Amino acid sequence: MSIASTDLSPDRLKLQGLARELAQGPVAARAAEVDATEQYPWDHVERLKEAKLLGLTIPKQYGGQGRDWLDAVLVIEQLSAACSVTGRIAVETNMGAISAVMAYGSEAQKKLAADMVLAGDKPAICITEPEAGSDAGGMTTRADRVGNGFVLNGTKHWITGGGVSRLHLIFAKVYDRDGNEEGIGGFLAIRDETKGLKIVKREPTMGLRGIPEAEIAFEDMELLPDALVIPPRGLKKGFADLMNAYNSQRVGAATVALGIAEGAYAHALEWSEKREQFGRPINEFQGLQWKLADMSIRLAAAQGLVYKAALSGTGGFPDMLMAAQAKVFTSENAIAVVNDALQFFGARGYSRNLPLERMARDVRMFTIGGGTAEVLRNVVASSILKKKLPQTRDGWGKE
Ligand SMILES: Cc1cc2nc3c(=O)[nH]c(=O)nc-3n(C[C@H](O)[C@H](O)[C@H](O)COP(=O)(O)OP(=O)(O)OC[C@H]3O[C@@H](n4cnc5c(N)ncnc54)[C@H](O)[C@@H]3O)c2cc1C
């Protein structure tokens, strides 16, 4: 299948071709098994490493390839069409936590994070808490300044990669020695090398089962001063830095949803020619032709938004408005496209023998994780109205 693509340079087409070959070969071959066994696909990580598809966006001086967000998007899109878990690994080794460290970290932190990612580690980003989801600023995990360093206490949940990731970027409210809040800061910690970092449990998820979602507790976790990557810088700034870096992750999440939907569409298109009923291929029925037409329109529009959002970040981070628009539109339309694709297969689509039911479970996540569709609509509204829109009752009407 080929969605009408924008003008991609020969270099980008080559990269896309490399990812497609890997995706449609060994990655696709193991996608069902990864889902069924719920095992993290370390073999896919190795293949990404060998193909130099890990750390594409990491600057060359740290061993990466210094590529831009669109390059990463092209790779993630191909991988996700075959195996969404592998697509997500490509997101988190190119965007989110690693990008935050590369933008805000010290030389030593950048080197550490780049080396770990290039060796195959998918960093975990720890923001969400049981009582602070969409309202991430309401987090209660605290980092108290003690001596020269920090002591962290709190619980995060739904942390992607919890239990397989080694590098963790943890967000917490920082308190000075007198107990005054300084704002939200971001800290680096390495699992198994940091006492007090505990993987509490794994969530039983609907889809994306090859990658663990875990609850993680920090119990009197001591960190040295050089663990601080994003300083609190007043009450709002650390959080703003986090959200800035998170725009790349949002574009990445939108890309995985796009890739899954493109993969499902390709299956439906092929099957619609093969499957005959009433003596003719089912794609000769207008009801299904219009479905195919609508699917292709949704995908082309989503791809345009995703690529545009990715390009908006060249030399920095993707634009917040474009990233939010891309994620809302793509996640919702990808769910619709996968659902329609499954319908083409009739009963077979409902079987675990075909990838459609897996894709339907996997794609459902993308209106939730990384900012829900509702919260991202708030971001879009806030941006177009150029007004802050406080969500708390006591904040209503305040600056
Ligand atoms: C598979 C998966 C992976 C994830 N990975 C990570 C990760 O690696 N790291 C991490 O930190 N977090 C992660 N998350 C958590 C994710 O970011 C949160 O689930 C998300 O921010 C929503 O928070 P919540 O689940 O607490 O929902 P809630 O905030 O409780 O929201 C419940 C409902 O209320 C709506 N709502 C809430 N506030 C508003 C508002 N102001 N306006 C309109 N509607 C509103 C929401 O849209 C939603 O429909 C992951 C989640 C999933 C499902």
Short mmCIF file of all heavy atoms in Angstrom, two decimals, residues 167-226:
data_model
loop_
_atom_site.label_atom_id
_atom_site.label_comp_id
_atom_site.label_asym_id
_atom_site.label_seq_id
_atom_site.Cartn_x
_atom_site.Cartn_y
_atom_site.Cartn_z
N LEU A 167 17.03 3.20 32.14
CA LEU A 167 17.09 4.64 32.41
C LEU A 167 15.68 5.18 32.66
O LEU A 167 14.76 4.89 31.89
CB LEU A 167 17.71 5.34 31.20
CG LEU A 167 18.10 6.80 31.41
CD1 LEU A 167 19.22 6.93 32.44
CD2 LEU A 167 18.54 7.44 30.09
N HIS A 168 15.53 5.93 33.73
CA HIS A 168 14.23 6.52 34.06
C HIS A 168 14.36 8.03 34.18
O HIS A 168 15.29 8.52 34.85
CB HIS A 168 13.71 5.98 35.41
CG HIS A 168 13.26 4.55 35.33
ND1 HIS A 168 14.12 3.53 35.00
CD2 HIS A 168 12.05 3.98 35.53
CE1 HIS A 168 13.44 2.38 35.00
NE2 HIS A 168 12.19 2.63 35.32
N LEU A 169 13.45 8.75 33.54
CA LEU A 169 13.37 10.20 33.73
C LEU A 169 12.13 10.44 34.59
O LEU A 169 11.00 10.17 34.15
CB LEU A 169 13.26 10.93 32.38
CG LEU A 169 13.13 12.44 32.44
CD1 LEU A 169 14.34 13.09 33.12
CD2 LEU A 169 12.98 13.03 31.03
N ILE A 170 12.37 10.89 35.81
CA ILE A 170 11.29 10.95 36.81
C ILE A 170 10.97 12.41 37.14
O ILE A 170 11.87 13.19 37.46
CB ILE A 170 11.74 10.24 38.12
CG1 ILE A 170 12.17 8.80 37.80
CG2 ILE A 170 10.64 10.28 39.17
CD1 ILE A 170 13.13 8.23 38.83
N PHE A 171 9.69 12.73 37.09
CA PHE A 171 9.28 14.10 37.43
C PHE A 171 8.70 14.13 38.84
O PHE A 171 7.91 13.27 39.22
CB PHE A 171 8.30 14.64 36.38
CG PHE A 171 9.04 14.93 35.11
CD1 PHE A 171 9.23 13.95 34.15
CD2 PHE A 171 9.61 16.18 34.90
CE1 PHE A 171 9.96 14.20 32.99
CE2 PHE A 171 10.35 16.44 33.75
CZ PHE A 171 10.53 15.46 32.80
N ALA A 172 9.15 15.13 39.60
CA ALA A 172 8.74 15.23 41.00
C ALA A 172 8.71 16.70 41.41
O ALA A 172 9.38 17.53 40.78
CB ALA A 172 9.73 14.47 41.88
N LYS A 173 7.94 16.98 42.45
CA LYS A 173 7.95 18.35 42.99
C LYS A 173 9.16 18.48 43.90
O LYS A 173 9.38 17.64 44.79
CB LYS A 173 6.67 18.62 43.76
CG LYS A 173 5.52 18.89 42.82
CD LYS A 173 4.39 19.63 43.47
CE LYS A 173 3.35 19.97 42.40
NZ LYS A 173 1.99 19.86 42.90
N VAL A 174 9.93 19.52 43.67
CA VAL A 174 11.17 19.71 44.42
C VAL A 174 10.88 20.65 45.60
O VAL A 174 10.18 21.66 45.45
CB VAL A 174 12.26 20.33 43.51
CG1 VAL A 174 13.57 20.51 44.27
CG2 VAL A 174 12.48 19.44 42.27
N TYR A 175 11.42 20.26 46.76
CA TYR A 175 11.26 21.09 47.97
C TYR A 175 12.63 21.46 48.51
O TYR A 175 13.54 20.62 48.57
CB TYR A 175 10.47 20.31 49.04
CG TYR A 175 9.03 20.10 48.63
CD1 TYR A 175 8.67 19.00 47.84
CD2 TYR A 175 8.04 21.02 48.98
CE1 TYR A 175 7.36 18.82 47.43
CE2 TYR A 175 6.72 20.84 48.57
CZ TYR A 175 6.39 19.74 47.80
OH TYR A 175 5.09 19.56 47.39
N ASP A 176 12.76 22.73 48.91
CA ASP A 176 14.06 23.16 49.47
C ASP A 176 14.20 22.66 50.91
O ASP A 176 13.28 22.02 51.44
CB ASP A 176 14.24 24.68 49.32
CG ASP A 176 13.30 25.48 50.23
OD1 ASP A 176 12.73 24.91 51.18
OD2 ASP A 176 13.14 26.69 49.95
N ARG A 177 15.33 22.97 51.50
CA ARG A 177 15.61 22.42 52.84
C ARG A 177 14.63 22.92 53.90
O ARG A 177 14.50 22.34 54.96
CB ARG A 177 17.07 22.73 53.23
CG ARG A 177 18.04 21.86 52.43
CD ARG A 177 19.49 22.25 52.61
NE ARG A 177 20.30 21.60 51.59
CZ ARG A 177 20.42 22.02 50.33
NH1 ARG A 177 19.82 23.13 49.94
NH2 ARG A 177 21.15 21.35 49.46
N ASP A 178 13.93 24.02 53.61
CA ASP A 178 12.92 24.53 54.57
C ASP A 178 11.52 24.02 54.24
O ASP A 178 10.53 24.45 54.82
CB ASP A 178 12.91 26.07 54.54
CG ASP A 178 14.24 26.65 54.97
OD1 ASP A 178 14.84 26.06 55.90
OD2 ASP A 178 14.68 27.65 54.38
N GLY A 179 11.46 23.14 53.26
CA GLY A 179 10.15 22.56 52.91
C GLY A 179 9.34 23.42 51.95
O GLY A 179 8.15 23.17 51.74
N ASN A 180 9.96 24.43 51.33
CA ASN A 180 9.23 25.26 50.36
C ASN A 180 9.28 24.62 48.98
O ASN A 180 10.34 24.14 48.56
CB ASN A 180 9.86 26.66 50.26
CG ASN A 180 9.83 27.37 51.60
OD1 ASN A 180 8.81 27.39 52.28
ND2 ASN A 180 10.98 27.91 51.99
N GLU A 181 8.14 24.66 48.28
CA GLU A 181 8.09 24.06 46.95
C GLU A 181 8.81 24.94 45.93
O GLU A 181 8.58 26.15 45.87
CB GLU A 181 6.62 23.90 46.54
CG GLU A 181 6.46 23.03 45.33
CD GLU A 181 5.00 22.94 44.89
OE1 GLU A 181 4.09 22.83 45.74
OE2 GLU A 181 4.79 22.98 43.66
N GLU A 182 9.66 24.30 45.12
CA GLU A 182 10.40 25.06 44.10
C GLU A 182 9.83 24.85 42.70
O GLU A 182 10.23 25.52 41.76
CB GLU A 182 11.87 24.60 44.08
CG GLU A 182 12.63 24.87 45.35
CD GLU A 182 14.05 24.32 45.26
OE1 GLU A 182 14.68 24.43 44.19
OE2 GLU A 182 14.52 23.74 46.25
N GLY A 183 8.92 23.88 42.55
CA GLY A 183 8.37 23.57 41.23
C GLY A 183 8.70 22.14 40.84
O GLY A 183 9.23 21.37 41.64
N ILE A 184 8.37 21.80 39.60
CA ILE A 184 8.58 20.42 39.14
C ILE A 184 9.94 20.30 38.48
O ILE A 184 10.32 21.13 37.64
CB ILE A 184 7.46 20.00 38.17
CG1 ILE A 184 6.13 19.89 38.94
CG2 ILE A 184 7.78 18.68 37.48
CD1 ILE A 184 4.93 19.59 38.09
N GLY A 185 10.67 19.27 38.89
CA GLY A 185 11.98 19.00 38.29
C GLY A 185 12.01 17.60 37.71
O GLY A 185 11.18 16.75 38.05
N GLY A 186 12.96 17.35 36.83
CA GLY A 186 13.11 16.02 36.22
C GLY A 186 14.46 15.41 36.60
O GLY A 186 15.48 16.08 36.53
N PHE A 187 14.44 14.15 37.01
CA PHE A 187 15.64 13.47 37.52
C PHE A 187 15.91 12.19 36.74
O PHE A 187 14.99 11.49 36.34
CB PHE A 187 15.43 13.07 38.98
CG PHE A 187 15.18 14.23 39.90
CD1 PHE A 187 13.89 14.76 40.04
CD2 PHE A 187 16.21 14.81 40.61
CE1 PHE A 187 13.65 15.84 40.88
CE2 PHE A 187 15.99 15.89 41.45
CZ PHE A 187 14.70 16.41 41.58
N LEU A 188 17.19 11.88 36.61
CA LEU A 188 17.57 10.61 35.97
C LEU A 188 17.92 9.58 37.04
O LEU A 188 18.62 9.90 38.01
CB LEU A 188 18.81 10.80 35.10
CG LEU A 188 18.63 11.33 33.68
CD1 LEU A 188 19.96 11.31 32.95
CD2 LEU A 188 17.59 10.52 32.90
N ALA A 189 17.43 8.37 36.86
CA ALA A 189 17.82 7.27 37.75
C ALA A 189 17.91 6.00 36.92
O ALA A 189 17.19 5.84 35.94
CB ALA A 189 16.78 7.10 38.85
N ILE A 190 18.82 5.13 37.33
CA ILE A 190 18.98 3.86 36.60
C ILE A 190 18.48 2.72 37.48
O ILE A 190 18.94 2.56 38.62
CB ILE A 190 20.47 3.64 36.21
CG1 ILE A 190 20.96 4.80 35.33
CG2 ILE A 190 20.64 2.30 35.49
CD1 ILE A 190 22.42 4.71 34.93
N ARG A 191 17.52 1.98 36.93
CA ARG A 191 16.97 0.84 37.68
C ARG A 191 18.10 -0.16 37.97
O ARG A 191 19.00 -0.34 37.16
CB ARG A 191 15.88 0.15 36.83
CG ARG A 191 15.23 -1.05 37.49
CD ARG A 191 14.10 -1.59 36.65
NE ARG A 191 14.52 -1.98 35.32
CZ ARG A 191 15.03 -3.17 35.00
NH1 ARG A 191 15.19 -4.09 35.92
NH2 ARG A 191 15.39 -3.44 33.76
N ASP A 192 18.03 -0.76 39.13
CA ASP A 192 19.02 -1.74 39.60
C ASP A 192 20.31 -1.09 40.10
O ASP A 192 21.13 -1.75 40.72
CB ASP A 192 19.37 -2.80 38.54
CG ASP A 192 18.18 -3.67 38.20
OD1 ASP A 192 17.25 -3.72 39.04
OD2 ASP A 192 18.16 -4.26 37.12
N GLU A 193 20.47 0.20 39.79
CA GLU A 193 21.66 0.87 40.33
C GLU A 193 21.24 1.92 41.34
O GLU A 193 22.06 2.62 41.92
CB GLU A 193 22.46 1.55 39.20
CG GLU A 193 23.14 0.55 38.29
CD GLU A 193 23.93 1.22 37.17
OE1 GLU A 193 24.29 2.41 37.31
OE2 GLU A 193 24.18 0.53 36.17
N THR A 194 19.92 2.08 41.51
CA THR A 194 19.41 3.11 42.42
C THR A 194 18.55 2.45 43.49
O THR A 194 17.49 1.90 43.17
CB THR A 194 18.56 4.14 41.62
OG1 THR A 194 19.26 4.50 40.44
CG2 THR A 194 18.29 5.38 42.44
N LYS A 195 19.05 2.51 44.70
CA LYS A 195 18.29 1.90 45.80
C LYS A 195 17.00 2.69 46.01
O LYS A 195 17.01 3.91 45.98
CB LYS A 195 19.13 1.95 47.09
CG LYS A 195 19.28 0.59 47.75
CD LYS A 195 20.23 0.66 48.90
CE LYS A 195 19.45 0.82 50.20
NZ LYS A 195 20.29 1.16 51.32
N GLY A 196 15.89 1.98 46.20
CA GLY A 196 14.64 2.68 46.47
C GLY A 196 13.73 2.80 45.25
O GLY A 196 12.61 3.27 45.37
N LEU A 197 14.21 2.38 44.08
CA LEU A 197 13.35 2.39 42.88
C LEU A 197 12.77 0.99 42.72
O LEU A 197 13.51 0.03 42.46
CB LEU A 197 14.18 2.78 41.64
CG LEU A 197 13.43 3.11 40.35
CD1 LEU A 197 14.33 3.89 39.39
CD2 LEU A 197 12.84 1.91 39.64
N LYS A 198 11.45 0.87 42.95
CA LYS A 198 10.85 -0.47 42.97
C LYS A 198 9.74 -0.61 41.94
O LYS A 198 8.84 0.23 41.86
CB LYS A 198 10.23 -0.72 44.35
CG LYS A 198 11.27 -0.82 45.42
CD LYS A 198 10.75 -1.45 46.69
CE LYS A 198 11.89 -1.54 47.69
NZ LYS A 198 11.51 -1.21 49.05
N ILE A 199 9.84 -1.67 41.14
CA ILE A 199 8.76 -1.98 40.20
C ILE A 199 7.71 -2.73 41.03
O ILE A 199 7.97 -3.84 41.51
CB ILE A 199 9.27 -2.86 39.03
CG1 ILE A 199 10.52 -2.25 38.37
CG2 ILE A 199 8.16 -3.12 38.02
CD1 ILE A 199 10.35 -0.90 37.72
N VAL A 200 6.54 -2.12 41.21
CA VAL A 200 5.54 -2.70 42.11
C VAL A 200 4.71 -3.77 41.40
O VAL A 200 4.54 -4.87 41.90
CB VAL A 200 4.62 -1.59 42.67
CG1 VAL A 200 3.56 -2.16 43.61
CG2 VAL A 200 5.45 -0.52 43.37
N LYS A 201 4.16 -3.41 40.23
CA LYS A 201 3.33 -4.41 39.52
C LYS A 201 3.20 -4.03 38.06
O LYS A 201 3.41 -2.87 37.68
CB LYS A 201 1.94 -4.52 40.15
CG LYS A 201 1.16 -3.24 40.08
CD LYS A 201 -0.30 -3.46 40.45
CE LYS A 201 -1.03 -2.14 40.29
NZ LYS A 201 -2.38 -2.06 40.55
N ARG A 202 2.82 -5.02 37.27
CA ARG A 202 2.58 -4.79 35.83
C ARG A 202 1.07 -4.75 35.61
O ARG A 202 0.34 -5.56 36.17
CB ARG A 202 3.23 -5.92 35.03
CG ARG A 202 3.05 -5.77 33.54
CD ARG A 202 3.81 -6.84 32.76
NE ARG A 202 3.51 -6.69 31.33
CZ ARG A 202 4.15 -7.32 30.36
NH1 ARG A 202 5.14 -8.14 30.65
NH2 ARG A 202 3.82 -7.13 29.10
N GLU A 203 0.61 -3.81 34.77
CA GLU A 203 -0.81 -3.71 34.45
C GLU A 203 -1.20 -4.75 33.41
O GLU A 203 -0.45 -4.96 32.45
CB GLU A 203 -1.14 -2.33 33.86
CG GLU A 203 -0.93 -1.16 34.79
CD GLU A 203 -1.87 -1.16 35.98
OE1 GLU A 203 -2.92 -1.83 35.94
OE2 GLU A 203 -1.53 -0.50 36.97
N PRO A 204 -2.35 -5.38 33.58
CA PRO A 204 -2.83 -6.29 32.53
C PRO A 204 -3.52 -5.45 31.45
O PRO A 204 -4.64 -4.99 31.63
CB PRO A 204 -3.83 -7.18 33.28
CG PRO A 204 -4.27 -6.38 34.46
CD PRO A 204 -3.28 -5.29 34.72
N THR A 205 -2.87 -5.22 30.33
CA THR A 205 -3.39 -4.26 29.36
C THR A 205 -4.24 -4.91 28.27
O THR A 205 -4.10 -6.10 27.97
CB THR A 205 -2.24 -3.50 28.67
OG1 THR A 205 -1.38 -4.45 28.04
CG2 THR A 205 -1.43 -2.69 29.65
N MET A 206 -5.08 -4.09 27.67
CA MET A 206 -5.95 -4.52 26.56
C MET A 206 -5.10 -4.87 25.32
O MET A 206 -5.33 -5.90 24.68
CB MET A 206 -6.89 -3.35 26.23
CG MET A 206 -7.76 -3.51 25.04
SD MET A 206 -8.75 -1.98 24.89
CE MET A 206 -9.67 -2.33 23.40
N GLY A 207 -4.16 -4.01 25.01
CA GLY A 207 -3.33 -4.24 23.83
C GLY A 207 -1.89 -3.84 24.12
O GLY A 207 -1.51 -3.69 25.28
N LEU A 208 -1.09 -3.71 23.06
CA LEU A 208 0.32 -3.32 23.19
C LEU A 208 0.99 -4.18 24.26
O LEU A 208 1.70 -3.68 25.14
CB LEU A 208 0.41 -1.83 23.55
CG LEU A 208 -0.22 -0.87 22.52
CD1 LEU A 208 -0.40 0.51 23.11
CD2 LEU A 208 0.61 -0.80 21.25
N ARG A 209 0.68 -5.47 24.20
CA ARG A 209 1.02 -6.35 25.32
C ARG A 209 2.49 -6.73 25.41
O ARG A 209 2.91 -7.30 26.41
CB ARG A 209 0.17 -7.62 25.25
CG ARG A 209 -1.29 -7.32 25.52
CD ARG A 209 -2.09 -8.59 25.57
NE ARG A 209 -3.50 -8.29 25.74
CZ ARG A 209 -4.46 -9.18 25.67
NH1 ARG A 209 -4.16 -10.43 25.39
NH2 ARG A 209 -5.71 -8.83 25.84
N GLY A 210 3.25 -6.45 24.39
CA GLY A 210 4.66 -6.83 24.44
C GLY A 210 5.53 -5.83 25.18
O GLY A 210 6.75 -6.01 25.26
N ILE A 211 4.91 -4.80 25.70
CA ILE A 211 5.70 -3.79 26.42
C ILE A 211 5.01 -3.57 27.77
O ILE A 211 3.81 -3.34 27.80
CB ILE A 211 5.83 -2.50 25.57
CG1 ILE A 211 6.96 -1.62 26.00
CG2 ILE A 211 4.57 -1.70 25.52
CD1 ILE A 211 7.37 -0.61 24.93
N PRO A 212 5.74 -3.71 28.88
CA PRO A 212 5.05 -3.61 30.16
C PRO A 212 4.66 -2.18 30.53
O PRO A 212 5.37 -1.23 30.21
CB PRO A 212 6.08 -4.15 31.16
CG PRO A 212 7.40 -4.02 30.50
CD PRO A 212 7.16 -4.05 29.02
N GLU A 213 3.52 -2.06 31.18
CA GLU A 213 3.09 -0.80 31.81
C GLU A 213 3.13 -1.08 33.31
O GLU A 213 2.46 -1.99 33.77
CB GLU A 213 1.65 -0.45 31.40
CG GLU A 213 1.43 -0.32 29.90
CD GLU A 213 2.21 0.82 29.28
OE1 GLU A 213 2.58 1.77 30.01
OE2 GLU A 213 2.46 0.77 28.06
N ALA A 214 3.93 -0.31 34.03
CA ALA A 214 4.15 -0.69 35.42
C ALA A 214 3.89 0.43 36.41
O ALA A 214 3.96 1.61 36.07
CB ALA A 214 5.58 -1.18 35.59
N GLU A 215 3.59 -0.01 37.64
CA GLU A 215 3.56 0.93 38.76
C GLU A 215 4.95 0.92 39.38
O GLU A 215 5.54 -0.15 39.58
CB GLU A 215 2.52 0.47 39.79
CG GLU A 215 2.41 1.41 40.96
CD GLU A 215 1.30 0.99 41.92
OE1 GLU A 215 0.18 0.67 41.47
OE2 GLU A 215 1.59 0.96 43.14
N ILE A 216 5.47 2.09 39.64
CA ILE A 216 6.83 2.20 40.18
C ILE A 216 6.80 3.06 41.44
O ILE A 216 6.19 4.13 41.44
CB ILE A 216 7.80 2.85 39.15
CG1 ILE A 216 7.80 2.05 37.84
CG2 ILE A 216 9.21 2.95 39.71
CD1 ILE A 216 8.78 2.55 36.79
N ALA A 217 7.43 2.56 42.49
CA ALA A 217 7.48 3.33 43.74
C ALA A 217 8.90 3.81 44.00
O ALA A 217 9.87 3.12 43.67
CB ALA A 217 6.99 2.45 44.89
N PHE A 218 8.99 4.99 44.56
CA PHE A 218 10.28 5.53 44.99
C PHE A 218 10.22 5.63 46.50
O PHE A 218 9.38 6.37 47.04
CB PHE A 218 10.54 6.90 44.36
CG PHE A 218 10.24 6.94 42.89
CD1 PHE A 218 9.17 7.67 42.39
CD2 PHE A 218 11.00 6.19 42.00
CE1 PHE A 218 8.86 7.66 41.04
CE2 PHE A 218 10.70 6.18 40.63
CZ PHE A 218 9.63 6.92 40.16
N GLU A 219 11.06 4.87 47.15
CA GLU A 219 11.02 4.83 48.62
C GLU A 219 12.35 5.34 49.16
O GLU A 219 13.37 4.65 49.05
CB GLU A 219 10.75 3.40 49.09
CG GLU A 219 9.36 2.93 48.67
CD GLU A 219 9.13 1.45 48.96
OE1 GLU A 219 10.03 0.78 49.51
OE2 GLU A 219 8.03 0.97 48.62
N ASP A 220 12.33 6.57 49.68
CA ASP A 220 13.56 7.21 50.18
C ASP A 220 14.70 7.00 49.18
O ASP A 220 15.81 6.60 49.55
CB ASP A 220 13.94 6.66 51.56
CG ASP A 220 12.99 7.17 52.63
OD1 ASP A 220 12.46 8.29 52.47
OD2 ASP A 220 12.76 6.43 53.62
N MET A 221 14.40 7.26 47.92
CA MET A 221 15.38 7.04 46.86
C MET A 221 16.36 8.22 46.83
O MET A 221 15.96 9.35 46.57
CB MET A 221 14.66 6.91 45.51
CG MET A 221 15.56 6.52 44.38
SD MET A 221 14.59 6.18 42.90
CE MET A 221 14.53 7.81 42.19
N GLU A 222 17.62 7.91 47.13
CA GLU A 222 18.62 8.98 47.21
C GLU A 222 19.24 9.22 45.85
O GLU A 222 19.67 8.28 45.17
CB GLU A 222 19.71 8.60 48.22
CG GLU A 222 19.17 8.58 49.64
CD GLU A 222 20.23 8.17 50.65
OE1 GLU A 222 21.44 8.24 50.34
OE2 GLU A 222 19.83 7.76 51.75
N LEU A 223 19.29 10.48 45.44
CA LEU A 223 19.91 10.84 44.16
C LEU A 223 20.97 11.91 44.39
O LEU A 223 20.78 12.83 45.20
CB LEU A 223 18.86 11.36 43.18
CG LEU A 223 17.83 10.34 42.68
CD1 LEU A 223 16.80 11.02 41.77
CD2 LEU A 223 18.49 9.19 41.92
N LEU A 224 22.04 11.78 43.64
CA LEU A 224 23.12 12.77 43.72
C LEU A 224 22.69 14.05 42.99
O LEU A 224 21.78 14.01 42.15
CB LEU A 224 24.40 12.20 43.09
CG LEU A 224 24.99 10.99 43.83
CD1 LEU A 224 26.11 10.36 43.00
CD2 LEU A 224 25.49 11.42 45.20
N PRO A 225 23.35 15.17 43.25
CA PRO A 225 22.96 16.42 42.60
C PRO A 225 22.95 16.31 41.07
O PRO A 225 22.12 16.92 40.41
CB PRO A 225 24.03 17.43 43.04
CG PRO A 225 24.74 16.80 44.17
CD PRO A 225 24.46 15.34 44.18
N ASP A 226 23.89 15.50 40.52
CA ASP A 226 23.97 15.44 39.06
C ASP A 226 22.87 14.58 38.42
O ASP A 226 22.86 14.36 37.21
CB ASP A 226 25.35 14.98 38.59
CG ASP A 226 25.70 13.58 39.05
OD1 ASP A 226 24.82 12.93 39.66
OD2 ASP A 226 26.83 13.13 38.80
#
